[in-house]
Amino acid sequence: MTKTGHSATYEEVQKLHPLYFNIVRKRYWWFAISLLIIIPGIISLFMQGLNLGIDYKGGTMLDVTFNKAVSQSAISDTMKSVGLEGHVQLSNSDTTALIRTEALEEEKRSELLTALETQVGEYDKASLKEDKVGPAMGQELTRNAIYALIIAMGMMIIYITFRFQFGFAISAILALLHDVFVVVGIFSLFQWEIDATFVAAILTIVGYSINDTVIIFDRIRENEPKMKRGDSYQDMVDKSIWQTMRRSINTVTTVLISLFAVFILGGESTRMFSLAMLIGVFCGAYSSIFIASQILLEIKIRLKKMPRTGS
Amino acid sequence: MRQGNIVKLVALVLLVATTVALSIKPLVDPVKGIPLGLDLRGGVHLVLQAEPNKNGVPITNADMDKAKAIIAKRVNDLGVSEPIVQADYNNKRIIVDLAGVTDPDKAVDILKTTAKLTFRDTQGNVLLQGDELTDAKGGQDPTNAGGFVVNLTFSTDGAKKFADLTTKYLGQQIGIYLDEKLLTNPKVDTPVLNGQAYINGYATLEAAANHAVLMRSGSLPVSMSIAEKRQVGASLGVDSLNKSIHAGIYSLIFIFLYMLVFYRLPGVVADFSLIVYALIVLWAFWSFRVVLTLPGIAGFILSIGIAVDFNIIIYERVKEEIRAGKSIRAGVESGFSRAFITVIDAHVTTLIAAITLYIFGSGSVKGFALTLGIGIIVSLFTAITFTRQVLRWTVGINPKMKTFWFGVRGDA
């Protein structure tokens, strides 16, 4: 194919990037940084778990916009007067109330809304938002989410093993789990509420992270057979990472631009969704560059060492 | 060659511009445009769970079909455009989506009513079931000018039974019940022989019509409870829609600028391809009647970010090929073929995630998965057909084009 010139050497690739540094050699640093973020997350996950919204636990959530500013106690008292307890959160300069309570039957719900109207104040019916999820539905959602994650990962392992090698697949999946744990861990640490779309966010992060990793692995796959005697696998991996660096950075930037737009301008309903994705996509880009290839390298080094020791 | 390519490119730009201009109206048409989900225009999503009755008789699929048909009939009578009624046989559920319904509370009320119409004597014994009814209509009370009634029409068989009944109970009261609620308790003055009767005592025509809907559609074979309900007020939906469109526009603008700064001439091609991409995706939504939801729009916006990735991968490859000493044209060709393998592998994995989400996701999550999935397929299509051809024509304008325009530094 190539008639003129030659494909870039390691030195050329290094010169091309003004900020070049050897990523592969510092790999234990990257592992340490990741563990530093993941471990507190996992501890938090065991200690306090996740702040599950009504989509998982079941319950009723009412988003009521009043015509004037209201007080939290007025709403709590009204709820008590109809025999309900729950959590009230005011926003939008105290005109919007987010009320969380047990799953309400239609009659009870109407009773509460009527009581709110008479005791607290008039509200805008056209901007009322209500979510009611029965407890059985919540369990189903959680179960389906776990199934979806496992099946998606299984299919990805199969695809990557088929297109690359098993070692690539394992490294990609570990990097992906890294991203999932970072996001889930952060949501647990800060006790941000999780709704049904969180599953979608996690799976998209999974998709993105794998996608990003595959681009770099594709380059490693391409460079591997071109290695000459005496070339180190380590240098080849580092070269591959830097050859794809511009793409990695530019793509994550454009995706982050999209997500930032949704996060800032998309309104309250998609805020947590886009936040999860922002963290996840950033993390996915990081792990593709700093984690996935280094795990692959570790696997390759170990496998090599096994048959003939001390090479 | 030079002239020809310029003409082709100018023609293409004009063609795309015209298509964009002509597309806006049909795409956003409130009736025939891309259907909006209830979170974007207000409405209610219901999951009705069939409750096993007290005798422990299992709920059959036939019961579910009947329930679905009855609910669908009631929904249609509510006058909602494009309602969705689905039966989930495994879980014994009926899923109802009513987008744009004006009074969701009333709709919910009408849908979950079992609506068993019975005629009972004063002791409460059931004399006749409402199954024999062929029609029920709201109307003016013939005897009381201000009142309204539900006019009942019985089948031939029912008319006979009703005639016997009214003959037997002449001078006595017969209670008409909807479920356990007594609607009216008229005294039989004359036997009703023609199978026509009415229930009076409604204050408004609307109230009479609502009950008529229930009676006409027949009674649900099983009682239903609300397992899940998501209701969004109309103005809240519009607000969300506007915010999402805003987010989409800003995201597009910034991605445009970014690509221009980093990739210069190919950046222009990428931006141009993005417009074509967005256009194809929106038309795909339109033709497959994909219901656009809030997470769906987020998925679409995200897919714009991902669609650029194709261009980025390809351009980086082309740059490498040029650096390796190839001419711009040869670079574009080999860059494309090499990048294609990368692109396929990378995006099949994302597609796996989208498909899994679509299969296992519920409601809003499905919408997200669908838009993401369509986005990935369309961006692949756009990249290999449109982007490639436009880039060929562009480099064909002047084969000695400076590599600077490809973002390759002269010294490289």
Side-chain angles (χ1 to χ4, degrees):
Chain A
M1 231 350 223
T2 327
K3 287 182 208 109
T4 49
H6 58 89
S7 49
T9 62
Y10 188 26
E11 286 70 31
E12 278 169 358
V13 171
Q14 291 182 20
K15 257 190 234 142
L16 211 55
H17 294 272
L19 295 173
Y20 173 82
F21 61 99
N22 195 322
I23 289 176
V24 173
R25 203 171 294 155
K26 295 200 176 73
R27 61 182 176 275
Y28 295 109
W29 280 103
W30 315 132
F31 293 153
I33 291 172
S34 288
L35 288 177
L36 217 61
I37 300 170
I38 291 174
I39 289 172
I42 291 180
I43 293 172
S44 159
L45 213 51
F46 275 107
M47 302 286 284
Q48 50 182 359
L50 289 164
N51 178 7
L52 296 175
I54 61 152
D55 288 341
Y56 298 92
K57 286 191 304 191
T60 290
M61 191 158 82
L62 286 166
D63 201 336
V64 191
T65 304
F66 291 93
N67 295 342
K68 58 176 174 57
V70 295
S71 75
Q72 193 148 354
S73 58
I75 295 173
S76 302
D77 291 346
T78 311
M79 288 174 72
K80 267 183 208 119
S81 75
V82 293
L84 288 173
E85 282 197 28
H87 183 253
V88 181
Q89 191 186 325
L90 292 178
S91 64
N92 204 359
S93 54
D94 288 354
T95 53
T96 304
L98 189 63
I99 301 169
R100 287 188 186 80
T101 182
E102 67 202 68
L104 299 179
E105 289 301 319
E106 285 303 295
E107 295 76 33
K108 199 74 194 167
R109 161 196 177 272
S110 307
E111 194 186 336
L112 174 63
L113 284 175
T114 319
L116 283 175
E117 190 151 32
T118 51
Q119 295 175 37
V120 181
E122 296 264 309
Y123 64 89
D124 180 14
K125 291 199 174 62
S127 61
L128 176 75
K129 185 172 184 289
E130 181 193 352
D131 291 276
K132 174 197 163 175
V133 180
M137 298 296 284
Q139 281 166 17
E140 213 174 290
L141 185 71
T142 316
R143 204 175 53 228
N144 280 346
I146 294 167
Y147 280 165
L149 254 180
I150 292 172
I151 288 171
M153 284 205 281
M155 281 166 57
M156 285 168 181
I157 291 181
I158 294 169
Y159 184 79
I160 298 174
T161 311
F162 174 68
R163 295 285 300 159
F164 297 80
Q165 290 163 21
F166 189 59
F168 284 74
I170 291 300
S171 319
I173 294 295
L174 283 176
L176 170 169
L177 284 175
H178 162 275
D179 305 335
V180 171
F181 275 115
V182 169
V183 178
V184 174
I186 288 177
F187 268 72
S188 168
L189 272 174
F190 292 100
Q191 287 291 296
W192 288 331
E193 195 181 271
I194 283 170
D195 65 8
T197 56
F198 188 73
V199 181
I202 291 288
L203 264 164
T204 315
I205 292 165
V206 164
Y208 182 85
S209 166
I210 281 269
N211 172 318
D212 221 27
T213 307
V214 163
I215 301 282
I216 299 175
F217 282 6
D218 169 71
R219 190 54 71 108
I220 296 176
R221 176 176 64 180
E222 187 189 337
N223 285 339
E224 206 173 355
K226 287 192 206 149
M227 279 169 70
K228 295 189 190 76
R229 188 183 290 274
D231 283 356
S232 81
Y233 202 86
Q234 188 167 325
D235 286 351
M236 190 273 288
V237 169
D238 194 53
K239 177 184 163 189
S240 303
I241 292 173
W242 280 100
Q243 276 182 310
T244 48
M245 187 60 89
R246 280 240 166 77
R247 178 268 160 191
S248 300
I249 291 171
N250 284 343
T251 295
V252 78
T253 311
T254 52
V255 173
L256 288 179
I257 288 174
S258 299
L259 289 172
F260 257 115
V262 180
F263 179 69
I264 295 166
L265 304 164
E268 204 57 54
S269 346
T270 43
R271 187 142 298 152
M272 279 328 222
F273 178 58
S274 44
L275 178 65
M277 298 241 268
L278 269 175
I279 300 170
V281 163
F282 182 80
C283 190
Y286 167 84
S287 75
S288 312
I289 297 171
F290 295 95
I291 303 294
S293 315
Q294 334 302 334
I295 295 176
L296 176 68
L297 182 64
E298 288 291 323
I299 292 176
K300 291 273 178 183
I301 292 173
R302 303 275 142 102
L303 283 180
K304 234 181 196 170
K305 269 183 185 162
M306 261 197 287
R308 43 195 175 110
T309 34
S311 70
Chain B
M1 185 73 190
R2 271 171 80 168
Q3 294 292 335
N5 282 355
I6 292 175
V7 172
K8 275 184 208 159
L9 283 171
V10 171
L12 196 65
V13 171
L14 289 176
L15 180 72
V16 171
T18 323
T19 319
V20 170
L22 291 177
S23 295
I24 293 172
K25 212 171 162 263
L27 287 175
V28 301
D29 188 85
V31 184
K32 287 196 194 127
I34 298 171
L36 295 177
L38 51 91
D39 51 357
L40 293 175
R41 59 171 177 157
V44 61
H45 164 84
L46 285 175
V47 177
L48 298 167
Q49 175 79 55
E51 300 286 346
N53 68 7
K54 289 152 212 143
N55 313 331
V57 183
I59 302 160
T60 62
N61 285 356
D63 286 339
M64 293 306 291
D65 279 330
K66 193 174 173 215
K68 183 187 155 192
I70 290 167
I71 287 175
K73 207 168 169 197
R74 290 183 189 172
V75 166
N76 287 330
D77 281 336
L78 283 170
V80 181
S81 66
E82 298 188 42
I84 299 166
V85 181
Q86 291 165 317
D88 174 355
Y89 297 106
N90 294 332
N91 296 311
K92 310 289 176 216
R93 286 183 193 138
I94 307 272
I95 297 133
V96 186
D97 271 349
L98 304 177
V101 61
T102 40
D103 188 349
D105 289 357
K106 190 189 85 189
V108 171
D109 218 37
I110 287 180
L111 290 189
K112 81 177 270 274
T113 313
T114 323
K116 209 170 179 59
L117 186 70
T118 49
F119 296 84
R120 303 178 191 180
D121 65 15
T122 39
Q123 276 80 48
N125 298 316
V126 176
L127 305 171
L128 182 67
Q129 304 264 11
D131 306 351
E132 306 278 7
L133 219 53
T134 53
D135 199 13
K137 274 202 176 78
Q140 290 252 313
D141 192 331
T143 54
N144 170 13
F148 295 91
V149 294
V150 175
N151 291 301
L152 304 175
T153 310
F154 287 96
S155 63
T156 343
D157 216 29
K160 224 176 113 236
K161 283 184 192 162
F162 199 61
D164 293 348
L165 194 73
T166 41
T167 319
K168 190 178 164 195
Y169 284 87
L170 192 64
Q172 295 179 45
Q173 282 188 318
I174 294 181
I176 303 174
Y177 288 79
L178 194 62
D179 292 334
E180 291 311 309
K181 190 175 154 206
L182 179 67
L183 293 178
T184 177
N185 202 12
K187 202 172 100 190
V188 183
D189 297 328
T190 50
V192 180
L193 302 174
N194 61 355
Q196 300 275 347
Y198 62 82
I199 304 165
N200 61 3
Y202 290 96
T204 62
L205 183 61
E206 208 196 347
N210 283 345
H211 270 165
V213 167
L214 292 173
M215 293 171 198
R216 192 162 64 228
S217 60
S219 57
L220 289 176
V222 281
S223 67
M224 294 274 180
S225 68
I226 297 175
E228 187 182 322
K229 175 183 172 191
R230 293 182 192 274
Q231 183 181 326
V232 176
S235 64
L236 191 71
V238 173
D239 188 46
S240 300
L241 182 62
N242 290 338
K243 279 180 179 158
S244 306
I245 292 174
H246 244 90
I249 290 172
Y250 276 95
S251 136
L252 216 52
I253 291 174
F254 280 106
I255 291 176
F256 270 35
L257 290 176
Y258 189 85
M259 289 302 283
L260 273 183
V261 169
F262 272 85
Y263 293 100
R264 293 159 206 169
L265 190 58
V268 179
V269 178
D271 290 348
F272 191 46
S273 312
L274 263 192
I275 296 174
V276 175
Y277 162 78
L279 208 58
I280 297 177
V281 170
L282 291 175
W283 276 110
F285 291 169
W286 184 86
S287 37
F288 296 119
R289 307 306 293 159
V290 174
V291 179
L292 212 54
T293 58
L294 208 47
I297 294 184
F300 175 53
I301 297 175
L302 179 70
S303 82
I304 294 176
I306 295 174
V308 192
D309 187 36
F310 281 92
N311 294 286
I312 292 177
I313 292 173
I314 289 158
Y315 296 162
E316 286 299 330
R317 247 318 158 165
V318 173
K319 276 206 244 176
E320 274 180 64
E321 301 286 335
I322 294 171
R323 274 194 213 105
K326 282 190 184 160
S327 71
I328 291 187
R329 284 175 72 179
V332 167
E333 288 309 317
S334 60
F336 247 102
S337 25
R338 187 64 196 100
F340 188 66
I341 306 167
T342 315
V343 160
I344 290 280
D345 278 341
H347 291 265
V348 164
T349 51
T350 315
L351 203 56
I352 289 175
I355 293 170
T356 324
L357 258 184
Y358 185 75
I359 295 170
F360 286 93
S362 62
S364 57
V365 175
K366 249 193 172 60
F368 171 78
L370 194 61
T371 51
L372 188 65
I374 290 178
I376 293 166
I377 293 168
V378 172
S379 66
L380 188 62
F381 174 78
T382 324
I384 58 175
T385 56
F386 190 82
T387 314
R388 184 176 197 161
Q389 197 53 47
V390 172
L391 209 56
R392 269 183 192 151
W393 286 345
T394 313
V395 298
I397 293 174
N398 183 359
K400 293 198 179 71
M401 192 182 290
K402 284 201 181 92
T403 49
F404 167 82
W405 291 106
F406 272 72
V408 179
R409 272 167 292 164
D411 57 339

